[in-house]
Amino acid sequence: MGLHGLLVECDDLEEVMALHRALDAERPHGVVDVVPAARTVLLTFGPTTSWATVAAAVTDLDTGLPPRSGQEREVVIPVTYDGVDLDDVAELTGMGRDEVVRRHLAADHRVAFTGFAPGFAYVVGSDRGLDVPRRATPRTRVPAGSVALAAEFTGIYPREGPGGWQLIGRTDVTLWDLDRDPPALLTPGTRVRFTEASS
Amino acid sequence: MIEVVLAGALTTVQDLGRPGHAHLGVGRSGAVDRPSLRLANRLVGNPEDAPALELTFGGLTLRAHDSVTVALTGAPARLTLEGRPGAMHAAITVAAGETLEIGMPSRGVRTYLAVRGGLVCDRALGSASTDVLSGLGPPPVTDGVRFAVGRPTAPVPGVDVVPGRSWPVEPVLRLLRGPRDDWFAPEALELLGSARFEATPSSDRVGVRLDGPPLTRVREGELPSEGMVEGAVQVPPDGHPVVFLADHPVTGGYPVVAVVHPDDVPVAAQLRPGDGVRFRFVPGPVSPPLG
């Protein structure tokens, strides 16, 4: 991708996450940023290395590393399921509202990658029945803390901003705090457990 | 201490940004025309990454509360010190109580003002840069804001003035193909490499939005979001390309047809609304088989 970027195509999200783990464990010399996404991992690098060197280093990586169970973080996110798009999601998935909520709570979730905004995580769920497309027209204003669905992901908006995901609820957790290290609550690989917020 | 009496249309603090945080969803940010920021800092004996001011369409008035040495680079603007004309690309001493006025640039968009010693500002993730997309860093500079100035670390270099760069009327930017050129018709790629495009008023630090013949896709559907780089030419469904600058999103869901050569990104960053621009494809790095 240009002179200082290498975009690695993966077969699926599992492979992306495996490659990201391997790059986390052993980052090739000169690589500045590693950006995992849905089907790709982007590596950007400076002039101290070259495209061919980085490409060779990626090819040589051992991507067979399992998730490090001892160091695996789990974050609990209490959600109030009252999103304005919950009816649309119910219709798109052919379930009732309660069924959407029940299955979202029951599914296993893990952060696949981040992006879009500081602290915004793409949390992949285990229940394919909840997959929905983005909204045809994005909203110009989505409130902070909104919990939303798009494709196989759940996302939470760290702050108010534009967005095209289907809003199913909201949470009070702080996703981004510069006084925290790292500032993002949800980092790639983190397990996420959604619970129903007590009202 | 310096005081920004009038901040102009948009003035932000910028350094060389915060690379290395993309996995947190944080982009690099920093000066959109990094060579100009580096030069401004060198002219006053600062490290190249010292925080300085990035002016958008000039219009800034600065008062020195203590004597300071400054230098201006980037978009060439008329500047006056207590009413006397001053020079871009040179170290200028502004004595205590004196006022420096910077007018509208005649070419380009962004003028950089470095102060010897660097501006003292809070940093977020190691950088003082304002990221207009994510909201990280200090808020844009407003009228009356004062900055403390740091301690100089090196002498002012013994140069009177350095030559500026050229400002071609219709620059030709080098492009490297892909990664998603296969989403576009061959005619679209031909158009991109030959037609005249024009920067639109909705351009900002996130990207230069271009008007011109729309680039038609041959593939429909959604591209899964993927990592973005500075200089990426992203094409939304309307076919009008956007060239990403320093505050670009970390990931994006529209196909990137090509990437501007890194040395030409600062030229793109200085395109004014209505300025024409052309592109020409150059060979990219050879791709060895992966996996």
Side-chain angles (χ1 to χ4, degrees), chain A residues 1-4 7 9 32-35 37-40 42 44 51 55 59 114-119 122 134 159 176 178 183-184 188, chain B residues 19-26 125 133-135 176 179-180 222 224-229 250-251 259 261 285-288 290-291:
Chain A
M1 199 173 199
L3 219 48
H4 294 148
L7 189 69
E9 292 260 8
V32 176
D33 267 310
V34 176
V35 193
R39 295 289 178 274
T40 54
L42 169 70
T44 63
W51 199 91
T59 322
T114 59
F116 174 64
Y122 291 77
R134 283 179 238 181
R159 63 174 201 145
W176 179 258
L178 271 175
Chain B
H21 297 95
H23 61 291
L24 301 178
V26 174
L125 299 173
L133 186 72
S134 72
L176 291 90
R180 302 295 172 198
E222 281 184 59
S225 287
E226 59 190 23
M228 289 288 138
V229 296
V250 174
T251 57
V259 180
H261 190 287
V286 184
S287 80
L290 267 184

Side-chain angles (χ1 to χ4, degrees), chain B residues 9 11 19 30 32 62 72 109 128 135 147 149 156 166 177 187 193 197 236 238 248 269 272-273 283:
Chain B
T11 296
V32 292
L62 176 147
L72 286 125
V109 178
F147 289 99
V149 175
V156 174
S166 64
R177 266 176 91 126
E187 306 82 67
F197 294 87
D238 66 7
H248 70 83
R272 296 161 79 108

Side-chain angles (χ1 to χ4, degrees), chain B residues 48-254:
Chain B
E48 287 189 335
D49 62 351
L53 295 178
E54 180 182 275
L55 284 58
T56 314
F57 294 116
L60 182 128
T61 301
L62 176 147
R63 183 178 300 133
H65 287 246
D66 313 291
S67 177
V68 291
T69 301
V70 304
L72 286 125
T73 61
R78 182 190 299 273
L79 57 124
T80 54
L81 177 61
E82 290 295 303
R84 303 183 306 274
M88 299 271 302
H89 291 194
I92 305 166
T93 300
V94 187
E98 286 189 333
T99 300
L100 180 73
E101 287 177 79
I102 298 138
M104 266 274 283
S106 53
R107 312 297 302 268
V109 178
R110 293 171 178 101
T111 304
Y112 292 86
L113 189 158
V115 181
R116 178 163 167 74
L119 301 176
V120 177
C121 322
D122 287 342
R123 288 169 192 252
L125 299 173
S127 165
S129 291
T130 297
D131 183 333
V132 299
L133 186 72
S134 72
L136 281 184
V141 178
T142 50
D143 297 353
V145 165
R146 294 168 181 211
F147 289 99
V149 175
R151 192 187 290 275
T153 53
V156 174
V159 293
D160 293 329
V161 67
V162 295
R165 69 156 172 252
S166 64
W167 295 85
V169 173
E170 201 172 84
V172 180
L173 311 182
R174 287 165 292 173
L175 276 185
L176 291 90
R177 266 176 91 126
R180 302 295 172 198
D181 47 325
D182 58 336
W183 281 58
F184 297 87
E187 306 82 67
L189 292 169
E190 207 163 291
L191 266 178
L192 181 60
S194 59
R196 178 184 186 274
F197 294 87
E198 202 173 287
T200 72
S202 54
S203 303
D204 58 14
R205 287 182 41 85
V206 174
V208 186
R209 289 169 181 82
L210 299 173
D211 208 356
L215 306 178
T216 43
R217 278 193 203 175
V218 289
R219 280 174 67 167
E220 289 308 317
E222 281 184 59
L223 176 75
S225 287
E226 59 190 23
M228 289 288 138
V229 296
E230 193 177 72
V233 181
Q234 199 192 48
V235 186
D238 66 7
H240 295 296
V242 180
V243 179
F244 277 148
L245 300 179
D247 287 358
H248 70 83
V250 174
T251 57
Y254 298 129

